[in-house]
Structures are given as C-alpha cells and as structure tokens.
C-alpha cells in the first residue's frame, strides 16, 4: 500500500469512527486497527489524533471554497456582492447535497452534531459550519437585496431554518429524495415571496415588483406608440398582452413598477439588468426605464433612477452601471445626464429584435467612484 493511500485511509477511517462514537471516544490505536496498521505506524503520517482532526477541517474548508467558487458565490461573510437568485438557489441545493450525500462532509456534520456540547472548540465549529455561520452568510447576502441588516437577518433565519431542520429529517428518512424535493419547494417558495416583498421608496415614488393585477394600468401607458418603440419594444396590444408581459418579462429579478405614492398606481417601469441589451461583467449592470406620457417632464424617472443607482452601488456592490438610448430618444439621454452618466461610445446598425429593425445606440456609463463623488448633486 502506498504511503499516500495509507494517509488517506487514516483520515477516512478516523472521521468514520469520530462520527459514530464521538471524538473523545476514539483513540489512535482504534484508528490504526481500522486502517490495518500498527499504532506506531500511524505516527509516520500524523503527529497526533488532533493532527488528523485538523487535516479533516482543512479538507472541509477547501471543499467549502470550491463549492462557493463553482456557483459564483461570495467566499466569506461580510460580502458586498449581490449574487443572483438563481445562483443562490443552485448553491443552496448543492450545499445541502454536500452536507448529506457526500460521505466525508456528511460524517463531519454528524461528528459536530455529536460533539457540540462537549467542548468549546466543537461548539464553535458546529456554529461556524452548521448553525450560526450559514445564517450570517445568508444575512450578508440578503442585506445586499434589502439594504437593512435587521430585515436581512430575519430573512436568513426564515431561509436557513427549514434547511437546518431538513438535515435531521434527511438522516432519519427512508425517502431521502422526498427530503430533497421538500428543500427545492422551500427555496422556490421563499424566493417567490421575497421577490414580491422587495420595495424601495423615494420622495414621490415606490419601486416594487410588478403584480398581475397591474395589467390594466400597465396597458394604459404601454399601449402608447410613443412609449415602447422608441425604447426598443412594441406597444402592448391588449390588457391580456400586458398581463403576459408581467408574467414573462417584468417578473425578472430587480425589475420594478414605478408607483406614484399619491395614487398607489404604477406609471412606468425601471430595471437593473445583467447582459440584457449591453454585455456586462459580474460587477456591472445595465439600467433601463420608461414612463407614462402624462408624467413626462416632472423629474420622476431621474428620481427612480437615482434610487436604483444607490441600490446598484450600495446594496449590490457593483462597480459600474451602463445605460443606452437609441437615436432620437432625447428624453432618455437627458435622464442619464441628470443621473451622472457619461457618454462612452456609439454602436451602429445594432439589431433590435423586439421591433425587428436595426438602430444606432448611444451608450453611457457611471462608475461607483463617480457616483460617490457626486451623489448629493445627482
């Protein structure tokens, strides 16, 4: 047997025994016997039982980092980067499978569960990996969505609490696939509800997710041929058409109805987009907007856009936001200027798929540093 194979078997057998009997109940001699070597031979590979345990932790830490990297998630707490809902969803499912189906990490979780009340070290490790650590990690992420730590922490508890319980149910269940399905249903319902709760306010406006019951108000303004076509999308043809667009387009993450506080009704739309009309990197986004004609010239879209820029740079941790307008859309150009965007470049003969034509588009950009320098002026 090769030396590396023996060292790996020691690690695997030690963790198996720790997870079944507890750390203190297992001695070096028992580990060596399980591997099929003499106790003195074990010390050629590890200095002590605690050295074995430290090696287990190092492997767990590497696996944690690999999972986060693979799913493009923050590597540590205190993040200012806002991952997409889709990334959080896939990462959460992957981590649940990692802590349940993968033998090494599953045994480590069971070991910490057994030992959490026996020593301060094990209690801290249990909190870091299984309890408080994941809650804090999710709270930091949710803060980038809500802007409030108190609200973010409450959301983290709501999100992770069922997952924490499902670990125990998984271990004792004869139908483990049903537990996985229950986890997926929980995540889907949580984010569906969360999307409907995220709102932002300005002096005159509320920015909130679109609702199907907004279809009539949406159609009232989106049917105007002076609204959609100049922005690159066709005028809506009916209330039902508007309802379908709410379901299939305006339900996207970070797409908001611009609601007038005075009436409580939507009068336009604004969205923070990734790789929609303008290619963006992970730390960038594109801003898009339109407003019903009766409300033009009142500074309402600049007011909404400034709040979205605050969200981009403060809540989502972005470094750059892009915005474009087609030739002739001077109102959109003026909005960008009022919000601090600076002209970057022009793209000619650019396909506009929704209206089936080609156009000239002028692209502007604002960086986080520029926004910070002048945000009180914008």
């Amino acid at each position: 047997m090769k030396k590396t194979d023996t060292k790996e078997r020691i690690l695997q057998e030690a963790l198996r025994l720790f997870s079944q009997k507890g750390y203190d109940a297992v001695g070096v001699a028992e580990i060596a016997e399980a591997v099929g070597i003499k106790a003195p031979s074990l010390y050629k590979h590890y200095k002590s039982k605690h050295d074995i345990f430290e090696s287990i932790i190092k492997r767990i830490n590497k696996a944690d980092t690999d999972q986060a990297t693979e799913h493009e998630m923050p590597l540590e707490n205190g993040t200012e980067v806002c991952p997409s809902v889709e990334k959080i969803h896939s990462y959460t499912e992957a981590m649940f499978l990692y802590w349940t189906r993968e033998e090494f990490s599953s045994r480590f979780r069971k070991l910490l569960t057994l030992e959490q009340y026996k020593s301060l070290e094990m209690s801290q490790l249990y909190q870091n990996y299984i309890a408080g650590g994941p809650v804090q990690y999710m709270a930091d992420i949710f803060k980038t969505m809500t802007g409030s730590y108190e609200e973010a922490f409450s959301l983290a508890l709501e999100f992770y609490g069922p997952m924490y319980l499902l670990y125990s149910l998984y271990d004792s269940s004869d139908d483990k696939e049903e537990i996985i399905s229950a986890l997926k249903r929980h995540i889907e319902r949580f984010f569906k509800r969360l999307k409907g709760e995220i709102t932002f306010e300005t002096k005159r406006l509320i920015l909130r997710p679109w609702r199907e019951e907004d279809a009539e108000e949406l159609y009232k303004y989106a049917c105007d041929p002076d609204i959609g076509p100049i922005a690159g999308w066709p005028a809506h043809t009916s209330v039902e058409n508007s309802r379908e667009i709410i379901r299939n387009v305006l339900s996207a993450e970070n797409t908001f109805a611009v609601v007038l506080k005075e009436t409580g009704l939507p009068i336009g739309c604004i969205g923070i987009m990734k790789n929609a009309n303008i290619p963006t990197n992970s730390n960038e986004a594109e801003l898009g907007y339109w407003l019903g004609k009766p409300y033009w010239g009142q500074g309402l879209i600049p007011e909404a856009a400034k709040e979205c820029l605050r969200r981009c740079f403060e809540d989502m941790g972005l470094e750059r936001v892009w915005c474009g307008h087609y030739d002739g859309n001077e109102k959109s150009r003026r909005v960008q200027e009022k919000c601090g965007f600076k002209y970057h470049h022009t793209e000619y003969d650019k396909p506009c798929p929704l209206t089936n034509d080609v156009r000239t588009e002028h692209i502007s950009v604002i960086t986080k540093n520029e926004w910070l320098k002048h945000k009180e002026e914008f």
Side-chain angles (χ1 to χ4, degrees):
M1 182 180 294
K2 294 180 181 178
K3 183 176 181 179
T4 53
D5 293 338
T6 302
K7 188 168 187 176
E8 176 63 21
R9 286 196 62 201
I10 292 171
L11 203 67
Q12 296 286 349
E13 289 298 327
L15 182 55
R16 179 182 66 81
L17 292 169
F18 293 159
S19 67
Q20 292 173 352
K21 299 182 177 183
Y23 179 77
D24 290 335
V26 177
V28 169
E30 186 174 2
I31 297 171
E33 182 180 358
V35 175
I37 60 175
K38 300 294 185 180
S41 299
L42 185 146
Y43 291 109
K44 296 177 182 178
H45 305 280
Y46 295 98
K47 299 176 183 177
S48 63
K49 186 174 75 169
H50 193 264
D51 188 28
I52 297 173
F53 185 66
E54 288 293 324
S55 296
I56 292 170
I57 292 175
K58 286 180 183 178
R59 178 169 297 187
I60 291 292
N61 288 341
K62 182 181 184 305
D64 275 0
T65 299
D66 290 346
Q67 288 281 355
T69 302
E70 180 181 348
H71 293 276
E72 299 180 320
M73 293 290 287
L75 295 179
E76 56 188 17
N77 291 346
T79 179
E80 294 184 354
V81 177
C82 181
S84 69
V85 166
E86 290 74 17
K87 288 177 182 177
I88 299 172
H89 193 149
S90 65
Y91 174 71
T92 303
E93 284 189 29
M95 288 303 292
F96 187 85
L97 296 177
Y98 164 73
W99 286 116
T100 54
R101 285 185 176 173
E102 292 192 22
E103 190 173 68
F104 194 88
S105 47
S106 175
R107 284 175 172 172
F108 183 70
R109 174 177 60 84
K110 292 173 183 176
L111 162 64
L112 295 183
T113 303
L114 280 176
E115 296 289 318
Q116 61 179 307
Y117 300 112
K118 296 181 180 179
S119 74
L120 179 60
E121 179 187 16
M122 291 297 186
S123 175
Q124 289 174 337
L125 289 170
Y126 180 83
Q127 288 297 319
N128 290 343
Y129 288 102
I130 309 299
V135 172
Q136 185 61 59
Y137 182 82
M138 293 310 305
D140 290 337
I141 289 174
F142 289 141
K143 185 177 182 295
T144 67
M145 298 180 178
T146 65
S148 163
Y149 180 76
E150 291 75 14
E151 177 66 16
F153 191 78
S154 295
L155 287 172
L157 290 174
E158 291 178 35
F159 180 70
Y160 185 69
M163 184 174 172
Y164 178 82
L165 176 61
L166 286 170
Y167 285 137
S168 179
L169 294 178
Y170 182 94
D171 290 339
S172 59
S173 176
D174 293 328
D175 188 356
K176 299 188 185 302
E177 289 305 314
E178 174 53 31
I179 303 301
I180 302 297
S181 296
L183 174 74
K184 292 179 179 179
R185 290 193 298 270
H186 162 64
I187 297 171
E188 288 169 0
R189 289 170 182 168
F190 178 88
F191 282 113
K192 184 177 181 180
R193 179 174 62 81
L194 182 61
K195 282 183 178 181
E197 291 182 353
I198 295 178
T199 62
F200 305 92
E201 291 190 25
T202 67
K203 183 178 179 180
R204 296 177 290 174
L205 302 170
I206 296 172
L207 309 183
R208 62 157 173 81
W210 284 91
R211 305 163 183 161
E212 287 193 32
E213 55 264 36
D214 295 326
E216 288 190 12
E217 293 299 318
L218 173 59
Y219 176 67
K220 182 191 298 184
Y221 305 113
C223 68
D224 190 329
D226 291 335
I227 301 291
I230 199 168
W233 47 272
H236 294 196
T237 57
S238 66
V239 172
E240 186 54 38
N241 178 223
S242 291
R243 185 173 288 109
E244 284 296 318
I245 288 171
I246 289 173
R247 290 187 192 126
N248 300 322
V249 180
L250 301 183
S251 59
E253 186 178 2
N254 285 316
T255 299
F256 304 104
V258 178
V259 176
L260 195 63
K261 283 184 177 179
E262 184 179 348
T263 64
L265 297 174
I267 57 172
C269 183
I270 194 161
I272 302 165
M273 302 166 286
K274 293 277 193 175
N275 294 309
N277 190 47
I278 301 170
T280 55
N281 295 324
S282 60
N283 63 346
E284 301 177 340
E286 175 187 353
L287 189 67
Y289 47 79
W290 62 264
L291 186 69
K293 192 187 293 183
Y295 301 94
W296 288 1
Q298 300 177 38
L300 292 169
I301 279 296
E303 186 174 319
K306 290 171 185 178
E307 174 59 18
C308 283
L309 287 176
R310 183 208 62 76
R311 171 162 171 72
C312 286
F313 294 128
E314 288 189 352
D315 297 348
M316 299 173 66
L318 301 180
E319 294 295 327
R320 186 177 288 106
V321 177
W322 300 88
C323 196
H325 71 276
Y326 292 121
D327 243 3
N329 194 349
E330 289 302 300
K331 290 181 175 59
S332 182
R333 179 184 63 80
R334 287 197 294 272
V335 167
Q336 293 169 38
E337 289 176 350
K338 290 177 182 177
C339 294
F341 283 88
K342 293 182 179 178
Y343 172 78
H344 189 271
H345 69 279
T346 295
E347 297 181 9
Y348 299 95
D349 299 321
K350 185 169 183 175
C352 187
L354 295 180
T355 52
N356 196 30
D357 58 7
V358 294
R359 306 194 182 185
T360 296
E361 184 175 19
H362 307 285
I363 311 296
S364 299
V365 67
I366 183 170
T367 65
K368 184 175 183 177
N369 286 339
E370 290 166 349
W371 177 79
L372 286 170
K373 191 182 299 183
H374 301 291
K375 69 176 181 177
E376 298 304 325
E377 304 170 13
F378 296 152

